[in-house]
Amino acid sequence: MAGLNVRFTEEELDALRERAAAEGRSMQAFAHDAVVAAISERSRLFNEAADHVLKVSAELNRRLA
């Protein structure tokens, strides 16, 4: 499995440590899941927007036909 080094400020690292501890997880697992969630959310939002544009376009095309 590939890895990635990420740099944080001391304040960011402290916040990460506290949040991961609060959830009973390692910082690595917490950071990994946060990144995966961000990727998934961006993809979901894009797909929702694309679906909306397709529906609107279909209605406009129907009216113009």
Side-chain angles (χ1 to χ4, degrees):
M1 183 182 299
L4 173 70
N5 289 324
V6 181
R7 296 184 188 275
F8 296 99
T9 65
E10 287 300 320
E11 294 81 17
E12 292 167 339
L13 192 58
D14 289 342
L16 173 58
R17 186 177 292 112
E18 289 174 13
R19 184 73 183 269
E23 294 189 15
R25 303 169 65 202
S26 71
M27 291 191 312
Q28 183 178 9
F30 184 87
H32 172 270
D33 291 349
V35 170
V36 170
I39 292 167
S40 298
E41 178 66 3
R42 187 174 291 260
S43 178
R44 184 189 66 78
L45 292 173
F46 175 84
N47 289 336
E48 283 182 7
D51 288 344
H52 174 74
V53 168
L54 289 174
K55 287 177 187 174
V56 170
S57 294
E59 176 62 20
L60 291 174
N61 288 336
R62 185 189 64 76
R63 289 181 188 177
L64 293 171

